[in-house]
Amino acid sequence: MSNKNKTAIIIGSGFGGLGSACILSKAGWDVQVFEKNEQIGGRASLFTATKDAKGVFRESNTAKTPAKNASGFTFDAGPSWYLMPDIFEHFFDLIGEKVDDHLTLQKLSPSYRIFYKDSKRHVDIYSDLKKDLPTIKNIEPGAEIALKQYLKTAGKQYEIAKDKFLYKNYDSFKDFFTWEVLSQGRKLNALTNMDKYVRSYFKTDEMYKIIQYPSVFLGSSPYKTPALYSMMNHIDFNMGVFYPRGGIYEVVRALEKIAKKNATKFHVNSEVKQIIVKAGRAIGVELTNGKKFYADHIVSNANVWHTETKLLQKQHRTKSPSYWKKRVLAPSALIMYLGVNKTFPNLKHHNLVFSKNWKKNFAQIFDDPSWPDDPSLYVCAPSKTDPDVAPKGHENLFVLVPIAAGLDYSQKQLDAYTDKILDTIQDTMKLKDLKKHIVYKKLFSVKDFAGRYHAQEGTALGMAHILKQTAVFRPHNTSKKVQNLFFVGADVNPGIGMPITLISAELMYKRLIGDKTSGPLKKL
């Protein structure tokens, strides 16, 4: 049977779902995507805030998702860092496209600014060692030499990971513990954690934090994240941080456009109620409105937990309730979308504030869930790079504070903690009278992640990248009980992140065509 006769239904349109739609439709499949929410993109959604008749900024019709909003604020609601450009380039090449034909990428300089609560100063990281090494030397004399060696090793680890691990499907421990994996894996420092590994190179708390903060991108703690993820520092210092003009949602638009060009059909406001299984095979989906659609293969980009516990009947589930209770979840977040009628010169595009007590902060997220009393946080000010996302003389700010998944709260508690964070930002970043200049504010937190994205306990990212949830230890991308049911997204191998979930789509396709190689596909 040719690919033109094959059909697929994709549940969800995050990057894993969009990537799957692009690959399958390019390969000649008849593809339909069903998205629960009002727009394509999953967590990488977008909304605007414009003035009403009384001159008050209010959320606009998100379904329209305008590319530009000169009279108001445009907010990327989710991801804001464009990293690993090589992974994006490979994916676009694979589906017969070029990144430059769809996105205008700007390398940020500096990549980000780091603020320290205890010293009330900041440092800029440029992803340019000529500029960064003097900064590192000033922080910790001798660390500039250690950093060069550290990054040399991290770069090698990244290349090994791309060639041998990231693009490989694992069915069993035999697939993982091969001679090739064992010989190459020794070079990845998988059996020690990031904290211990970083301490073997550096001596000061400031350097620990600079090197360890990418653990948050992986939804984990440096005390639990395998040191193999030190390759994130290679991505950070050597590859740099980019911004697609118009915002991250432009990447969503590009993938949607490519999929539609290849005849993919998208259905928004179309929540899947259950996966239809007959004689042990997934044959279709039923929506919450009762409509049913059928296909040869079903690909779920919904969280694996939601797919297993809500979309499949009990007899078709692979994992037990106890399995899900034991999962280590990535943090949730308190996100503030702020529109301010002032510009703040002290901010860069990406800004980080580190907790004074690093270990306690992570403990309050992972070990003893509570509102962090000394949180690290992140502020994105895309209007520094892109004036089209805010009115003239205004800025749009995206504030994210990692907090524990499953954390319960009242609106009063959420508002009080929000006020505390705004005080911290105002003081630490020296944003004078920030609170007085806020003309638009929207909050999004644990309960919102659970409601809008069906995220387990309201996690913002999915399953954390601890050793027991990495590679072969992560949920497989096929169901063991239901034939023709596949999974893509952050919960399956290789894990969390926009480019990484695009790899998950490629791994799904490799599974379909029986490709067991360890590297990226050369062609469809």
Side-chain angles (χ1 to χ4, degrees), residues 287-304:
L287 306 186
T288 53
N289 63 13
K291 292 183 179 180
K292 296 179 181 180
F293 297 82
Y294 297 91
D296 300 319
H297 294 78
I298 309 298
V299 180
S300 181
N301 184 211
N303 296 288
V304 177

Side-chain angles (χ1 to χ4, degrees), residues 314-512:
K314 189 173 182 180
Q315 67 269 29
H316 302 311
R317 298 170 186 171
T318 302
K319 306 296 185 183
S320 67
S322 63
Y323 171 87
W324 294 112
K325 287 181 181 179
K326 293 177 181 178
R327 293 311 90 196
V328 177
L329 298 177
S332 186
L334 164 58
I335 299 177
M336 304 176 208
Y337 306 100
L338 306 177
V340 295
N341 60 3
K342 181 181 179 180
T343 59
F344 293 98
N346 213 30
L347 290 177
K348 296 299 181 183
H349 189 117
H350 295 301
N351 307 271
L352 300 166
V353 176
F354 292 151
S355 168
K356 295 179 186 177
N357 192 329
W358 198 238
K359 194 165 189 176
K360 182 180 178 182
N361 184 213
F362 281 106
Q364 289 180 317
I365 295 172
F366 290 99
D367 304 323
D368 183 21
S370 56
W371 291 102
D373 49 26
D374 173 31
S376 294
L377 56 90
Y378 160 65
V379 177
C380 181
S383 39
K384 293 294 184 187
T385 304
D386 190 349
D388 289 334
V389 300
K392 187 175 182 180
H394 294 59
E395 290 194 318
N396 84 351
L397 304 180
F398 171 98
V399 180
L400 184 148
V401 184
I403 59 176
L407 195 63
D408 194 17
Y409 54 87
S410 65
Q411 187 62 46
K412 183 177 180 180
Q413 287 175 308
L414 188 66
D415 290 340
Y417 196 72
T418 296
D419 199 54
K420 173 183 176 179
I421 296 302
L422 289 173
D423 285 336
T424 299
I425 293 171
Q426 192 169 263
D427 179 50
T428 304
M429 297 181 165
K430 298 180 181 178
L431 308 184
K432 186 178 179 181
D433 295 328
L434 167 65
K435 293 165 71 173
K436 294 180 180 179
H437 290 278
I438 295 173
V439 294
Y440 175 80
K441 179 171 69 174
K442 176 182 177 180
L443 305 181
F444 195 95
S445 197
V446 182
K447 295 176 183 178
D448 303 296
F449 281 104
R452 182 169 174 83
Y453 304 122
H454 289 321
Q456 184 180 3
E457 295 189 32
T459 171
L461 300 170
M463 291 171 54
H465 278 273
I466 61 173
L467 182 59
K468 291 182 179 180
Q469 293 176 177
T470 296
V472 70
F473 303 108
R474 213 165 179 82
H476 291 180
N477 59 3
T478 57
S479 169
K480 290 184 178 180
K481 289 192 175 182
V482 180
Q483 294 183 54
N484 296 342
L485 174 58
F486 300 84
F487 305 105
V488 294
D491 283 342
V492 297
N493 187 46
I496 292 169
M498 294 188 299
I500 300 301
T501 52
L502 288 179
I503 296 177
S504 80
E506 187 169 334
L507 288 175
M508 177 277 298
Y509 185 71
K510 290 178 77 172
R511 180 80 69 183
L512 273 174

Side-chain angles (χ1 to χ4, degrees), residues 110-123:
S111 295
Y112 51 90
R113 172 166 284 182
I114 300 170
F115 292 84
Y116 294 94
K117 291 181 181 179
D118 49 1
S119 63
K120 301 291 178 69
R121 66 185 181 88
H122 62 258
V123 297

